[in-house]
Amino acid sequence: QSRERYWRSLNAYAKFGPTHAGARSLDIGGGQMGILAKHLFGAEAMAADAVLRAEEDVSRAGLPMVRLNLMDESYDLQTTFDAIIMCEVIEHIPMPPYIVIEKLARLLERSGILFMTTPNGFRIRNVLYMLANKEVLGIYRYPEENEVLGHQHEYTAHQMTWQVERAGMSVCAMDFVDPGWTGSSRGARLAHVLTKPFNLWPHLRSHLFISAQKSA
C-alpha cells in the first residue's frame, strides 16, 4: 500500500539529494528511504530512530541503525552526511522544527541536503475533521520513555519555510503533493477517492515535500 508513496518521495528526493554511489545519507525514521538509497543509488546509508523496533529488519537490509532522539540536546553521531532524510517524522515532535533542523544541519556536509515529507496543515482531511468536530491532532505533550507520539503539529508551507530559514538553511523546493497513500481501511480508501477532486487546489493536497540545503 505504501509503494507509490515511497516511489514519489524518492523521486522528489533525487531532484536535489545526492544520487551518486558512496554518498553518505542518514534516514531518520523507519529506514525505508535509506534502504532504497542504498540499493538504488549505492549510498552509504544509515538509519536512526528514537525507538529501535525496526533494527532487525533494517540490519537485514544491510544498513546500520542507531538510536537518535530528536528531542536530545545534541546529536552526536561521530560522522557527517551528504543528505538527511525524514519522512513523516517532524509532525510527531513536540518542539519547534527549527530547533531540530539547526541540530541536524550540524550533521550535514557543506551544501548537504535535508529532505522532509510531512502532512500539510491545510489538507482537506483536516478541514473536514474540523467541520465534523473531530480532533485533528493528538494531545500535545512530551513522550514517555520509548513512546512514539501521534501527530503533535501539522505545518503549512509558510510555517515550514519559516522554520527551515530560521534554522539557517535555504529552501530548494516546497511542494504540495498527493503522495499516493490511499489509506489502510476501506473507509479511508473511500474517503481518499471522494476527496481527490480537492487536489485541484494545491494548498489542499495532503502532504508537503521539502528539500532544503545547508549554506556552503
Side-chain angles (χ1 to χ4, degrees):
Q1 291 177 335
S2 293
R3 181 178 298 177
E4 186 65 24
R5 184 176 78 179
Y6 288 119
W7 182 246
R8 294 184 189 184
S9 299
L10 192 71
N11 274 293
Y13 164 77
K15 290 180 182 178
F16 299 97
T19 57
H20 59 275
R24 296 188 303 278
S25 64
L26 174 66
D27 180 5
I28 301 174
Q32 297 95 330
M33 289 286 286
I35 292 169
L36 290 173
K38 173 181 174 61
H39 291 284
L40 295 180
F41 302 145
E44 293 182 11
M46 174 187 291
D49 204 345
V51 181
L52 299 182
R53 289 181 298 199
E55 184 176 16
E56 184 178 345
D57 291 333
V58 171
S59 296
R60 192 181 301 120
L63 273 68
M65 189 169 194
V66 299
R67 185 183 180 278
L68 177 65
N69 189 334
L70 294 176
M71 296 184 66
D72 287 347
E73 289 297 320
S74 61
Y75 312 145
D76 184 13
L77 296 184
Q78 304 298 319
T79 187
T80 54
F81 301 91
D82 300 301
I84 296 175
I85 305 167
M86 290 201 305
C87 292
E88 315 300 303
V89 172
I90 199 68
E91 67 273 11
H92 295 277
I93 310 301
M95 178 181 288
Y98 76 87
I99 297 176
V100 174
I101 296 169
E102 279 180 347
K103 290 182 284 189
L104 290 175
R106 298 177 196 137
L107 299 177
L108 284 171
E109 292 283 353
R110 286 186 177 181
S111 302
I113 293 293
L114 171 64
F115 176 75
M116 297 184 288
T117 72
T118 189
N120 173 20
F122 284 160
R123 58 182 172 151
I124 189 61
R125 175 261 199 193
N126 291 355
V127 176
L128 296 176
Y129 268 40
M130 286 186 282
L131 288 173
N133 195 30
K134 188 174 179 179
E135 293 289 346
V136 174
L137 303 171
I139 300 297
Y140 193 81
R141 60 187 177 85
Y142 272 21
E144 303 295 335
E145 186 176 0
N146 292 329
E147 181 185 18
V148 178
L149 296 176
H151 289 194
Q152 300 294 289
H153 194 102
E154 294 187 1
Y155 302 93
T156 66
H158 173 74
Q159 289 173 330
M160 283 307 303
T161 298
W162 187 93
Q163 298 286 340
V164 169
E165 292 178 348
R166 174 64 175 78
M169 298 188 71
S170 301
V171 176
C172 302
M174 179 82 66
D175 296 321
F176 299 98
V177 180
D178 174 5
W181 168 249
T182 59
S184 57
S185 67
R186 183 178 299 176
R189 289 191 288 272
L190 177 61
H192 178 80
V193 172
L194 294 176
T195 58
K196 197 160 187 176
F198 287 97
N199 285 338
L200 292 172
W201 291 271
H203 74 284
L204 295 178
R205 292 174 188 163
S206 67
H207 277 67
L208 300 174
F209 281 12
I210 305 114
S211 296
Q213 188 170 38
K214 182 176 180 177
S215 300

